Amino acid sequence: MGVMKTTMKRTFLPILASALLVAGFATTAHAGATLDKVRSQGTLRCGVGGSIPTFSKLDSQGHWGGLDVDYCKAVAAAVLGDPEKVTFVQLTLQQRFAALQGGEVDMLARDSVVNLTRDASLGVISVVTNFYTGAGFIVRRDSGIKSSDDMNNATFCISQGNSALGSLADLMKAKGFQYKLVQLEKFQDTFQAFLAGRCDAAIAGAADLAGVQVTMSPNPADYIVLDELMSADPYSVYVARNDWEWFTIVRWVHYGLVEAERRGITQANVKELAASSQDLTIRRMLGAQDELGKLLGLDKDWLVKVIAAVGNYREIFDRHFGKNSPVNMARGQNALASDGGLMYSAPFN
């Protein structure tokens, strides 16, 4: 009799779990405090850096542009139906996490490196890696500096709060080198100090440096970003802890951008595919079948609005870093996994 009861219990539990899964799939997810707040505000408050044109910068006409800016617009399109309903809050490296934790912004899209200390102790959480780079050096082409082996007694320009400070200290200690720092709060001031000759090299993410070399240097050919990297730096969008519904929405916006590239969904064809595609995965992604948006507390066509607003991941990258930008940087690790990179999406099912 005891054996029979045990068998029945073991059989019943998987059936119950399956039933709950099916029931859960059919229901709308609880919106979460942050989504409710964003909708009540009528705007997404997005923390950005505002000093590197490839990531985020306000132009002379008052328009924001950059990869981070497009992520803010993508989330606004998903949750508010309008990519322009974003309030950009410019934050320094030292301000960014405190502003997010304190509720001054709803998300942080600010070329911020993921590390254990930040994830575990700051009251914020990295959502998903949306850009891969590493801490590097930019030097004058005529300086004779070819690598860090030539940097004993060098002076480095680096922004306050930059995580590369630790990497630099470790590198110089390992080589037995002496060095000095010029530290300024804002990256544009740090880079201007380098251009003015106050240091031998400037330090930031190599992708950041490649961007400012082209967009902020008076003569880009006079400078070179060294191939050497001090670290492998995954950049992430961040949100405050303890609102997992909001965390999930922001993460799946990124996955949608990446999977859209893999499936050939573009800014130009997304509406046509939403109406006519017979591909099952594309139909799920674009809300023509299963209404996955309900699980996120969003409209069924949330991803259509995202892609129509900013394009897929390739389109965003090419616009700010790739072939359609002055930087013309190779995709590298930021290519899809199917093309030898590190970008891929979890399944849309």
Side-chain angles (χ1 to χ4, degrees), residues 314-332:
R314 173 184 287 278
E315 291 176 288
I316 294 173
F317 184 94
D318 284 350
R319 187 156 56 241
H320 304 298
F321 287 94
K323 63 183 182 180
N324 297 329
S325 78
V327 182
N328 197 23
M329 189 173 80
R331 287 282 294 272

Side-chain angles (χ1 to χ4, degrees), residues 239-251:
V239 297
R241 281 185 174 272
N242 300 324
D243 189 338
W244 299 114
E245 291 83 6
W246 183 245
F247 171 95
T248 304
I249 288 170
V250 176
R251 180 168 63 172

Side-chain angles (χ1 to χ4, degrees), residues 150-182:
D150 303 317
M151 293 179 177
N152 193 19
N153 296 312
T155 299
F156 299 103
C157 288
I158 186 169
S159 301
Q160 296 170 358
N162 193 315
S163 60
L165 278 165
S167 299
L168 177 66
D170 291 344
L171 178 65
M172 294 292 105
K173 182 178 180 180
K175 292 179 179 292
F177 285 0
Q178 299 297 313
Y179 66 99
K180 296 179 181 178
L181 296 175
V182 174

